[in-house]
Amino acid sequence: QVQLVESGGGLVQAGGSLRLSCVASGRTFSRSVMGWFRQAPGKEREFVAAISWSGAIVRYADSVKGRFTIARDNAKNTVYLQTNSLKPEDTAVYFCAAQTAGDGAVRSGQNEYNYWGQGTQVTVSS
């Protein structure tokens, strides 16, 4: 069983930055692919970024490339999402997810992830 708790969301002006954190419980964190997803009001949840268990492989949605950075600290059971140059269209609830099964490939499909956090709200004002 893995529990994920996100934090770091808030209200920020366009162009600003936020650092989201996700702390995981359980001993499988260091062997799990971790991902961030988001869901804006009235829209479906979408992939944002993902990182391999070692941190060597990362993947981003085109909409956030060059602005967001995913990283992890396995000693702290924590994955981060640094969000820079935020835009109003980045407003959403951001979810952390863990992929504890499978071959360890970094994928963007939601069905690949078997544990989810409750989410943290990010609101970007114009």
Side-chain angles (χ1 to χ4, degrees), residues 14 33 43 49 61 63 68 70 72 74 76 84 89 95 106 109 112 118 120:
V33 173
K43 295 187 177 181
S63 59
F68 291 10
I70 189 170
R72 67 190 296 161
N74 287 341
K76 296 182 179 180
N84 298 329
E89 51 264 43
F95 297 91
V106 180
E112 303 289 342
Q118 293 299 307
T120 185

Side-chain angles (χ1 to χ4, degrees), residues 6 10 16 18 27 41 45-46 50 54 58 67 69 75 89 91 95 102 109 113 121:
E6 303 96 332
L18 286 172
R27 292 175 289 180
R45 190 160 57 185
E46 63 177 5
S54 68
V58 295
R67 299 189 299 122
T69 302
E89 51 264 43
T91 294
F95 297 91
Y113 296 82
Q121 176 71 48

Side-chain angles (χ1 to χ4, degrees), residues 44-58:
E44 294 187 353
R45 190 160 57 185
E46 63 177 5
F47 171 76
V48 175
I51 188 167
S52 63
W53 67 269
S54 68
I57 300 172
V58 295

Side-chain angles (χ1 to χ4, degrees), residues 58-108:
V58 295
R59 186 170 181 175
Y60 297 97
D62 288 342
S63 59
V64 306
K65 279 181 182 176
R67 299 189 299 122
F68 291 10
T69 302
I70 189 170
R72 67 190 296 161
D73 185 339
N74 287 341
K76 296 182 179 180
N77 275 19
T78 303
V79 61
Y80 305 97
L81 186 68
Q82 178 67 43
T83 66
N84 298 329
S85 303
L86 283 163
K87 306 174 182 179
E89 51 264 43
D90 293 317
T91 294
V93 177
Y94 284 69
F95 297 91
C96 172
Q99 182 188 147
T100 63
D103 58 7
V106 180
R107 297 187 174 92
S108 61

Side-chain angles (χ1 to χ4, degrees), residues 1-21:
Q1 187 76 9
V2 176
Q3 291 187 324
L4 304 173
V5 180
E6 303 96 332
S7 63
L11 173 63
V12 64
Q13 289 188 332
S17 299
L18 286 172
R19 187 195 197 201
L20 309 184
S21 299

